[in-house]
Amino acid sequence: MGKSSITVVGVLLLCFLVSFSEAEYRKYKDPKVPLNRRIKDLMSRMTLEEKIGQMTQLERSVATPEAMTKYFIGSVLSGGGSVPAEKASAETWVKMVNQIQNAALSTPLGIPMIYGIDAVHGHNNVYNATIFPHNVGLGVTRDPVLIKKIGEATALEVRATGIPYVFAPCIAVCRDPRWGRCYESYSEDPKIVKTMTEIIPGLQGDIPGNSRKGTPFVAGKNKVAACAKHFVGDGGTTKGINENNTVISYKGLLGIHMPAYYDSVIKGVSTVMISYTSWNGKKMHANRDLVTGYLKNKLRFRGFVISDWQGIDRITSPPHANYSYSVEAGVSAGIDMIMVPYNFTEFIDDLTFQVKNNIIPISRIDDAVARILRVKFTMGLFENPLADLSLINQLGSKEHRELAREAVRKSLVLLKNGKYANKPLLPLPKKASKVLVAGSHADNLGNQCGGWTITWQGLSGSDLTTGTTILDGIKQTVDPATEVVYNENPDANFIKSNKFSYAIVIVGEKPYAETFGDSLNLTIAEPGPSTITNVCGSIQCVVVLVTGRPVVIQPYLSKIDALVAAWLPGTEGQGVADVLYGDFEFTGKLARTWFKTVDQLPMNVGDKHYDPLFPFGFGLTTNLTKY
């Protein structure tokens, strides 16, 4: 009896030691273990529920601790304008992200979630962040070194708020400015867009020289995982209609819309987002040939593929009409993570049912989960899942604002300078008795930042975040003795009753994003045209256009002495004044064709009947040595 008791105790003790040692050492938690073995070890411990949880991305507003732990959720995002509090500080963001992360870590396997956010021109959802020019302006610079620095600065500001993943860059090749996302595109020319993928090593870090092609890479706690979007052909839809059909041959798709993806994969991009659009009638979210066949197999992309916001819902028309079919089509196409973002139990239930009934093979689930885990391990999320406050001083830092100001200067395009070639108006004299500044965009931070700033569609006004309006920049630049008079929409009598030396008219488009920005007429809304007519009809004027794309300007061109395309410059309006007043030269060259009339669209460089107002590559310079 005694011996038998000792034996039982010994066996129990041995079992306890084995289980204790198992709890203490899990191969997947050991950073010294090779990556593939860590993935394999972790996946061998995962239930189907845990695997499907990894494939699910929720919006932060529904990512409760209960949801995270019950459903083993793998990812959370902030939609456009979704913030923990109005004008939230970096500390508030860090606290929120860590609360969600702690819930994920409390699950049996402790797999960290990955938090994603749109950071398409700086950390654009966050109050006090540096807002860089939108891509339409950055393409003008043709400066990959500058673009990489912007990626580095953006990564620091995003990490300052505790977030390790951004849905950027957009590498669409916008072929028709009627598209409401055209300002998210660097150029109509695939070569320029391809060059601008240099933002990826800025965001993620330079991929090591010995890396396998297609392997995702993120260089530690000061970098973020990037996302090349939207795969593929989103900039080529008929009439520029958002989420529409791109009609083009396979050769054309590869030649125009694919080159930047090839470069992104080589540079180690961690994720790729699928486009809402169709290619020749086939929804991209259901296109297995391109998502799995081309991106994963041919380009050897080894990161994870993510859907767009409710992207699989839109496989059917109307959206969500047959959700179980959408789940099957999207996951079977090769999408690894689904941006649900709200009704997550429906997605989880449908996918679970389909796997258990062999509609979707478990091998497809395992491929998705392995890819998601590869990115998380590569990022160091298992070693450093929680954010700290060590980078909060990076948010909106002086250094980053100076970089944004440089980007503004380099993104300006001088389209006209003087009614006569031998009498240029720019650069403007800093010493003048009285200067008129007019227009709806002169003293409006929201208008100069555009869409995807603080909220999804953007906001007019100057209280949305911190920055410098173009008017502020002008006042800072002119001689202290020069009187600057601002009148948003002056009439002819006001102009004639004041003795102005010259006028600066700053007009453009109101903020918009995506579908709301689709436009078939591309006109500047009133009172913009009236302001141009009233002011430029009475006095020497320079017109500065603050737009997300080329707009109709030909009818007013003869009245205008000088014309500058400033695109959507972001928070650092001082950069516009720097160049208007000759502290720096105009160097920007159009990365888009500027049409005469919308009837010509789509019109791109290389087309047979190319007859633009200002051709691709056009841009005057100011020879400052003369002045």
Side-chain angles (χ1 to χ4, degrees):
M1 186 72 182
K3 277 186 180 175
S4 148
S5 298
I6 291 166
T7 307
V8 169
V9 169
V11 169
L12 287 171
L13 183 63
L14 184 63
C15 288
F16 171 76
L17 287 171
V18 168
S19 66
F20 178 74
S21 127
E22 176 72 9
E24 283 296 293
Y25 181 74
R26 290 180 173 181
K27 206 179 283 182
Y28 73 87
K29 289 196 168 182
D30 185 349
K32 296 189 189 74
V33 172
L35 176 63
N36 286 338
R37 280 170 63 189
R38 293 179 81 183
I39 295 169
K40 191 175 178 184
D41 178 64
L42 178 50
M43 287 186 63
S44 71
R45 303 168 190 274
M46 293 173 75
T47 63
L48 178 62
E49 289 71 26
E50 286 167 324
K51 288 177 180 178
I52 288 174
Q54 285 300 301
M55 296 173 67
T56 309
Q57 187 179 62
L58 311 188
E59 213 289 319
R60 54 160 287 280
S61 57
V62 295
T64 62
E66 297 73 30
M68 298 301 294
T69 53
K70 182 177 179 182
Y71 296 101
F72 313 104
I73 299 300
S75 186
V76 176
L77 85 151
S78 276
S82 178
V83 298
E86 190 180 355
K87 297 185 177 179
S89 65
E91 291 91 335
T92 301
W93 278 94
V94 167
K95 185 179 176 185
M96 177 200 68
V97 174
N98 281 349
Q99 282 173 340
I100 298 170
Q101 188 66 281
N102 277 318
L105 296 173
S106 71
T107 56
L109 293 173
I111 304 173
M113 66 89 196
I114 181 171
Y115 196 105
I117 196 164
D118 284 282
V120 298
H121 59 142
H123 199 5
N124 52 260
N125 275 277
V126 176
Y127 182 75
N128 200 37
T130 308
I131 305 297
F132 292 91
H134 266 298
N135 289 355
V136 66
L138 296 181
V140 161
T141 71
R142 291 165 170 77
D143 186 346
V145 175
L146 175 69
I147 301 307
K148 185 176 182 181
K149 286 179 184 173
I150 289 171
E152 290 166 351
T154 301
L156 287 169
E157 297 208 14
V158 172
R159 279 287 193 171
T161 58
I163 297 170
Y165 176 31
V166 297
F167 307 126
C170 177
I171 52 172
V173 182
C174 174
R175 304 289 283 176
D176 192 325
R178 291 175 289 188
W179 185 36
R181 297 196 89 142
C182 203
Y183 64 75
E184 295 184 59
S185 167
Y186 293 107
S187 178
E188 69 188 44
D189 179 5
K191 291 192 285 297
I192 290 179
V193 178
K194 189 177 173 185
T195 303
M196 296 295 126
T197 60
E198 195 61 17
I199 196 170
I200 291 168
L203 292 164
Q204 297 193 152
D206 291 304
I207 192 163
N210 59 352
S211 292
R212 278 179 63 185
K213 182 191 167 189
T215 303
F217 178 74
V218 181
K221 291 171 70 175
N222 291 356
K223 297 293 182 182
V224 292
C227 178
K229 66 181 190 182
H230 310 82
F231 187 86
V232 59
D234 50 342
T237 60
T238 303
K239 294 185 179 177
I241 297 167
N242 195 42
E243 302 184 22
N244 208 283
N245 189 27
T246 296
V247 179
I248 194 170
S249 68
Y250 183 63
K251 184 181 176 185
L253 187 77
L254 296 192
I256 293 171
H257 299 285
M258 196 67 81
Y261 286 96
Y262 181 78
D263 259 36
S264 298
V265 170
I266 287 174
K267 287 172 179 170
V269 74
S270 295
T271 72
V272 171
M273 186 183 290
I274 302 302
S275 175
Y276 288 131
T277 55
S278 304
W279 173 50
N280 296 338
K282 172 95 172 170
K283 289 278 188 183
M284 281 305 312
H285 273 77
N287 196 319
R288 191 175 190 281
D289 289 341
L290 286 174
V291 177
T292 296
Y294 198 88
L295 178 63
K296 288 183 172 181
N297 295 343
K298 187 157 184 126
L299 295 188
R300 301 187 183 278
F301 172 63
R302 300 182 76 222
F304 69 79
V305 174
I306 186 168
S307 82
D308 207 332
W309 179 278
Q310 295 178 332
I312 63 165
D313 302 52
R314 291 170 159 115
I315 289 172
T316 60
S317 184
H320 207 85
N322 184 346
Y323 193 64
S324 60
Y325 166 74
S326 293
V327 171
E328 179 188 353
V331 175
S332 297
I335 301 174
D336 305 310
M337 184 178 283
I338 309 298
M339 196 183 287
V340 180
Y342 299 115
N343 198 3
F344 57 94
T345 55
E346 181 186 20
F347 168 71
I348 288 168
D349 290 346
D350 278 7
L351 185 54
T352 303
F353 174 85
Q354 290 178 20
V355 176
K356 286 185 173 176
N357 288 274
N358 298 317
I359 297 166
I360 292 177
I362 191 69
S363 59
R364 172 73 273 270
I365 303 301
D366 285 346
D367 170 58
V369 176
R371 288 168 176 275
I372 293 163
L373 294 178
R374 181 176 293 117
V375 171
K376 289 184 177 184
F377 279 124
T378 300
M379 294 171 70
L381 265 185
F382 282 79
E383 287 70 55
N384 296 294
L386 295 171
D388 57 39
L389 303 178
S390 61
L391 293 174
I392 58 170
N393 64 335
Q394 295 288 338
L395 189 70
S397 72
K398 188 173 185 297
E399 185 184 357
H400 295 164
R401 290 184 183 276
E402 283 300 318
L403 178 65
R405 183 174 166 183
E406 177 191 350
V408 173
R409 294 194 293 259
K410 290 181 174 177
S411 66
L412 303 177
V413 182
L414 181 57
L415 298 172
K416 182 178 181 181
N417 192 13
K419 287 183 176 169
Y420 305 100
N422 62 342
K423 288 190 178 178
L425 179 59
L426 296 174
L428 295 168
K430 292 180 182 178
K431 281 189 174 182
S433 57
K434 194 190 289 188
V435 173
L436 172 64
V437 178
S440 52
H441 289 55
D443 195 29
N444 195 308
L445 202 57
N447 284 356
Q448 77 186 41
C449 288
W452 286 110
T453 309
I454 304 301
T455 67
W456 174 39
Q457 292 292 321
L459 297 162
S460 282
S462 290
D463 61 348
L464 73 166
T465 191
T466 56
T468 305
T469 67
I470 300 171
L471 176 64
D472 292 333
I474 292 166
K475 287 178 175 177
Q476 288 292 319
T477 306
V478 295
D479 188 84
T482 299
E483 183 186 353
V484 177
V485 175
Y486 174 57
N487 186 322
E488 187 172 328
N489 191 22
D491 59 27
N493 290 333
F494 176 82
I495 299 165
K496 284 169 187 169
S497 62
N498 284 273
K499 291 184 178 177
F500 293 114
S501 304
Y502 56 84
I504 304 170
V505 177
I506 306 163
V507 293
E509 296 183 296
K510 291 286 177 70
Y512 58 81
E514 297 185 49
T515 305
F516 295 91
D518 288 355
S519 170
L520 293 177
N521 59 39
L522 293 178
T523 52
I524 303 168
E526 285 291 356
S530 300
T531 309
I532 293 173
T533 302
N534 291 344
V535 177
C536 298
S538 307
I539 189 174
Q540 262 205 323
C541 76
V542 52
V543 172
V544 178
L545 293 175
V546 178
T547 66
R549 53 201 164 185
V551 291
V552 173
I553 195 68
Q554 191 183 31
Y556 324 110
L557 196 55
S558 60
K559 297 184 183 77
I560 296 167
D561 294 283
L563 179 64
V564 175
W567 314 107
L568 297 169
T571 51
E572 306 315 304
Q574 180 71 54
V576 177
D578 287 343
V579 185
L580 289 179
Y581 283 96
D583 291 330
F584 293 85
E585 293 193 8
F586 281 92
T587 57
K589 307 293 180 190
L590 287 179
R592 305 207 52 78
T593 296
W594 203 295
F595 58 87
K596 291 176 180 173
T597 70
V598 290
D599 297 336
Q600 296 174 296
L601 300 175
M603 177 174 60
N604 293 282
V605 63
D607 289 354
K608 277 183 185 173
H609 304 290
Y610 191 67
D611 181 29
L613 182 62
F614 300 109
F616 175 90
F618 181 81
L620 302 173
T621 56
T622 41
N623 184 357
L624 298 182
T625 55
K626 276 178 160 182
Y627 303 96

